[in-house]
mmCIF file with all atom_site columns, all heavy atoms in Angstrom:
data_model
loop_
_atom_site.group_PDB
_atom_site.id
_atom_site.type_symbol
_atom_site.label_atom_id
_atom_site.label_alt_id
_atom_site.label_comp_id
_atom_site.label_asym_id
_atom_site.label_entity_id
_atom_site.label_seq_id
_atom_site.pdbx_PDB_ins_code
_atom_site.Cartn_x
_atom_site.Cartn_y
_atom_site.Cartn_z
_atom_site.occupancy
_atom_site.B_iso_or_equiv
_atom_site.pdbx_formal_charge
_atom_site.auth_seq_id
_atom_site.auth_comp_id
_atom_site.auth_asym_id
_atom_site.auth_atom_id
_atom_site.pdbx_PDB_model_num
ATOM 1  N N   . LYS F 1 64 ? -50.207 -25.324 99.477  1.00 93.00 ? 64 LYS F N   1
ATOM 2  C CA  . LYS F 1 64 ? -51.575 -24.750 99.310  1.00 93.00 ? 64 LYS F CA  1
ATOM 3  C C   . LYS F 1 64 ? -52.610 -25.808 99.606  1.00 93.00 ? 64 LYS F C   1
ATOM 4  O O   . LYS F 1 64 ? -52.465 -26.948 99.216  1.00 93.00 ? 64 LYS F O   1
ATOM 5  C CB  . LYS F 1 64 ? -51.760 -24.312 97.764  1.00 93.00 ? 64 LYS F CB  1
ATOM 6  C CG  . LYS F 1 64 ? -50.840 -23.170 97.444  1.00 93.00 ? 64 LYS F CG  1
ATOM 7  C CD  . LYS F 1 64 ? -51.165 -22.700 95.980  1.00 93.00 ? 64 LYS F CD  1
ATOM 8  C CE  . LYS F 1 64 ? -50.208 -21.517 95.729  1.00 93.00 ? 64 LYS F CE  1
ATOM 9  N NZ  . LYS F 1 64 ? -50.869 -20.203 95.731  1.00 93.00 ? 64 LYS F NZ  1
ATOM 10 N N   . ALA F 1 65 ? -53.537 -25.398 100.452 1.00 95.00 ? 65 ALA F N   1
ATOM 11 C CA  . ALA F 1 65 ? -54.520 -26.339 100.947 1.00 95.00 ? 65 ALA F CA  1
ATOM 12 C C   . ALA F 1 65 ? -55.960 -25.761 100.672 1.00 95.00 ? 65 ALA F C   1
ATOM 13 O O   . ALA F 1 65 ? -56.229 -24.608 100.634 1.00 95.00 ? 65 ALA F O   1
ATOM 14 C CB  . ALA F 1 65 ? -54.396 -26.572 102.433 1.00 95.00 ? 65 ALA F CB  1
ATOM 15 N N   . ARG F 1 66 ? -56.955 -26.688 100.552 1.00 96.00 ? 66 ARG F N   1
ATOM 16 C CA  . ARG F 1 66 ? -58.289 -26.378 100.289 1.00 96.00 ? 66 ARG F CA  1
ATOM 17 C C   . ARG F 1 66 ? -59.232 -27.402 100.787 1.00 96.00 ? 66 ARG F C   1
ATOM 18 O O   . ARG F 1 66 ? -58.827 -28.648 100.836 1.00 96.00 ? 66 ARG F O   1
ATOM 19 C CB  . ARG F 1 66 ? -58.556 -26.258 98.778  1.00 96.00 ? 66 ARG F CB  1
ATOM 20 C CG  . ARG F 1 66 ? -59.693 -25.488 98.302  1.00 96.00 ? 66 ARG F CG  1
ATOM 21 C CD  . ARG F 1 66 ? -59.648 -25.354 96.801  1.00 96.00 ? 66 ARG F CD  1
ATOM 22 N NE  . ARG F 1 66 ? -60.491 -24.253 96.465  1.00 96.00 ? 66 ARG F NE  1
ATOM 23 C CZ  . ARG F 1 66 ? -60.678 -23.916 95.172  1.00 96.00 ? 66 ARG F CZ  1
ATOM 24 N NH1 . ARG F 1 66 ? -60.150 -24.616 94.185  1.00 96.00 ? 66 ARG F NH1 1
ATOM 25 N NH2 . ARG F 1 66 ? -61.482 -22.891 94.785  1.00 96.00 ? 66 ARG F NH2 1
ATOM 26 N N   . ALA F 1 67 ? -60.333 -27.027 101.304 1.00 97.00 ? 67 ALA F N   1
ATOM 27 C CA  . ALA F 1 67 ? -61.371 -28.013 101.871 1.00 97.00 ? 67 ALA F CA  1
ATOM 28 C C   . ALA F 1 67 ? -62.490 -28.219 100.885 1.00 97.00 ? 67 ALA F C   1
ATOM 29 O O   . ALA F 1 67 ? -62.897 -27.303 100.139 1.00 97.00 ? 67 ALA F O   1
ATOM 30 C CB  . ALA F 1 67 ? -61.924 -27.491 103.170 1.00 97.00 ? 67 ALA F CB  1
ATOM 31 N N   . PHE F 1 68 ? -62.934 -29.405 100.780 1.00 97.00 ? 68 PHE F N   1
ATOM 32 C CA  . PHE F 1 68 ? -64.065 -29.833 99.855  1.00 97.00 ? 68 PHE F CA  1
ATOM 33 C C   . PHE F 1 68 ? -65.084 -30.579 100.718 1.00 97.00 ? 68 PHE F C   1
ATOM 34 O O   . PHE F 1 68 ? -64.690 -31.365 101.562 1.00 97.00 ? 68 PHE F O   1
ATOM 35 C CB  . PHE F 1 68 ? -63.558 -30.703 98.648  1.00 97.00 ? 68 PHE F CB  1
ATOM 36 C CG  . PHE F 1 68 ? -62.596 -30.000 97.796  1.00 97.00 ? 68 PHE F CG  1
ATOM 37 C CD1 . PHE F 1 68 ? -61.182 -29.960 98.077  1.00 97.00 ? 68 PHE F CD1 1
ATOM 38 C CD2 . PHE F 1 68 ? -63.044 -29.397 96.691  1.00 97.00 ? 68 PHE F CD2 1
ATOM 39 C CE1 . PHE F 1 68 ? -60.238 -29.326 97.283  1.00 97.00 ? 68 PHE F CE1 1
ATOM 40 C CE2 . PHE F 1 68 ? -62.112 -28.687 95.839  1.00 97.00 ? 68 PHE F CE2 1
ATOM 41 C CZ  . PHE F 1 68 ? -60.781 -28.703 96.141  1.00 97.00 ? 68 PHE F CZ  1
ATOM 42 N N   . LYS F 1 69 ? -66.373 -30.446 100.216 1.00 96.00 ? 69 LYS F N   1
ATOM 43 C CA  . LYS F 1 69 ? -67.389 -31.313 100.898 1.00 96.00 ? 69 LYS F CA  1
ATOM 44 C C   . LYS F 1 69 ? -68.577 -31.190 99.913  1.00 96.00 ? 69 LYS F C   1
ATOM 45 O O   . LYS F 1 69 ? -68.946 -30.208 99.421  1.00 96.00 ? 69 LYS F O   1
ATOM 46 C CB  . LYS F 1 69 ? -67.833 -30.749 102.212 1.00 96.00 ? 69 LYS F CB  1
ATOM 47 C CG  . LYS F 1 69 ? -68.853 -31.690 102.929 1.00 96.00 ? 69 LYS F CG  1
ATOM 48 C CD  . LYS F 1 69 ? -69.079 -31.217 104.351 1.00 96.00 ? 69 LYS F CD  1
ATOM 49 C CE  . LYS F 1 69 ? -70.076 -32.172 105.055 1.00 96.00 ? 69 LYS F CE  1
ATOM 50 N NZ  . LYS F 1 69 ? -70.269 -31.740 106.408 1.00 96.00 ? 69 LYS F NZ  1
ATOM 51 N N   . GLU F 1 70 ? -69.233 -32.430 99.758  1.00 94.00 ? 70 GLU F N   1
ATOM 52 C CA  . GLU F 1 70 ? -70.337 -32.528 98.789  1.00 94.00 ? 70 GLU F CA  1
ATOM 53 C C   . GLU F 1 70 ? -71.470 -31.610 99.237  1.00 94.00 ? 70 GLU F C   1
ATOM 54 O O   . GLU F 1 70 ? -71.725 -31.504 100.484 1.00 94.00 ? 70 GLU F O   1
ATOM 55 C CB  . GLU F 1 70 ? -70.860 -33.989 98.794  1.00 94.00 ? 70 GLU F CB  1
ATOM 56 C CG  . GLU F 1 70 ? -71.847 -34.193 97.635  1.00 94.00 ? 70 GLU F CG  1
ATOM 57 C CD  . GLU F 1 70 ? -72.165 -35.674 97.456  1.00 94.00 ? 70 GLU F CD  1
ATOM 58 O OE1 . GLU F 1 70 ? -71.333 -36.508 97.720  1.00 94.00 ? 70 GLU F OE1 1
ATOM 59 O OE2 . GLU F 1 70 ? -73.323 -35.941 97.076  1.00 94.00 ? 70 GLU F OE2 1
ATOM 60 N N   . GLY F 1 71 ? -72.057 -30.914 98.316  1.00 94.00 ? 71 GLY F N   1
ATOM 61 C CA  . GLY F 1 71 ? -73.143 -30.078 98.635  1.00 94.00 ? 71 GLY F CA  1
ATOM 62 C C   . GLY F 1 71 ? -72.715 -28.633 99.110  1.00 94.00 ? 71 GLY F C   1
ATOM 63 O O   . GLY F 1 71 ? -73.524 -27.782 99.448  1.00 94.00 ? 71 GLY F O   1
ATOM 64 N N   . MET F 1 72 ? -71.415 -28.375 98.980  1.00 96.00 ? 72 MET F N   1
ATOM 65 C CA  . MET F 1 72 ? -70.800 -27.107 99.385  1.00 96.00 ? 72 MET F CA  1
ATOM 66 C C   . MET F 1 72 ? -69.824 -26.723 98.274  1.00 96.00 ? 72 MET F C   1
ATOM 67 O O   . MET F 1 72 ? -69.187 -27.526 97.728  1.00 96.00 ? 72 MET F O   1
ATOM 68 C CB  . MET F 1 72 ? -70.208 -27.106 100.756 1.00 96.00 ? 72 MET F CB  1
ATOM 69 C CG  . MET F 1 72 ? -71.077 -27.532 101.898 1.00 96.00 ? 72 MET F CG  1
ATOM 70 S SD  . MET F 1 72 ? -70.297 -27.494 103.475 1.00 96.00 ? 72 MET F SD  1
ATOM 71 C CE  . MET F 1 72 ? -70.476 -25.770 103.906 1.00 96.00 ? 72 MET F CE  1
ATOM 72 N N   . ASN F 1 73 ? -69.593 -25.378 98.170  1.00 95.00 ? 73 ASN F N   1
ATOM 73 C CA  . ASN F 1 73 ? -68.574 -24.836 97.342  1.00 95.00 ? 73 ASN F CA  1
ATOM 74 C C   . ASN F 1 73 ? -67.219 -25.078 98.072  1.00 95.00 ? 73 ASN F C   1
ATOM 75 O O   . ASN F 1 73 ? -67.172 -25.004 99.268  1.00 95.00 ? 73 ASN F O   1
ATOM 76 C CB  . ASN F 1 73 ? -68.713 -23.347 97.053  1.00 95.00 ? 73 ASN F CB  1
ATOM 77 C CG  . ASN F 1 73 ? -69.770 -23.179 95.941  1.00 95.00 ? 73 ASN F CG  1
ATOM 78 O OD1 . ASN F 1 73 ? -69.721 -23.789 94.921  1.00 95.00 ? 73 ASN F OD1 1
ATOM 79 N ND2 . ASN F 1 73 ? -70.800 -22.329 96.250  1.00 95.00 ? 73 ASN F ND2 1
ATOM 80 N N   . PRO F 1 74 ? -66.127 -25.269 97.276  1.00 96.00 ? 74 PRO F N   1
ATOM 81 C CA  . PRO F 1 74 ? -64.843 -25.444 97.870  1.00 96.00 ? 74 PRO F CA  1
ATOM 82 C C   . PRO F 1 74 ? -64.402 -24.203 98.677  1.00 96.00 ? 74 PRO F C   1
ATOM 83 O O   . PRO F 1 74 ? -64.929 -23.097 98.385  1.00 96.00 ? 74 PRO F O   1
ATOM 84 C CB  . PRO F 1 74 ? -63.853 -25.623 96.722  1.00 96.00 ? 74 PRO F CB  1
ATOM 85 C CG  . PRO F 1 74 ? -64.740 -26.018 95.544  1.00 96.00 ? 74 PRO F CG  1
ATOM 86 C CD  . PRO F 1 74 ? -66.071 -25.408 95.775  1.00 96.00 ? 74 PRO F CD  1
ATOM 87 N N   . SER F 1 75 ? -63.586 -24.361 99.628  1.00 96.00 ? 75 SER F N   1
ATOM 88 C CA  . SER F 1 75 ? -63.013 -23.187 100.450 1.00 96.00 ? 75 SER F CA  1
ATOM 89 C C   . SER F 1 75 ? -62.113 -22.380 99.607  1.00 96.00 ? 75 SER F C   1
ATOM 90 O O   . SER F 1 75 ? -61.737 -22.757 98.518  1.00 96.00 ? 75 SER F O   1
ATOM 91 C CB  . SER F 1 75 ? -62.327 -23.788 101.643 1.00 96.00 ? 75 SER F CB  1
ATOM 92 O OG  . SER F 1 75 ? -61.103 -24.365 101.279 1.00 96.00 ? 75 SER F OG  1
#
Side-chain angles (χ1 to χ4, degrees):
K64 293 184 179 257
R66 199 173 201 185
F68 296 88
K69 187 173 182 178
E70 191 171 331
M72 300 181 84
N73 283 307
S75 72

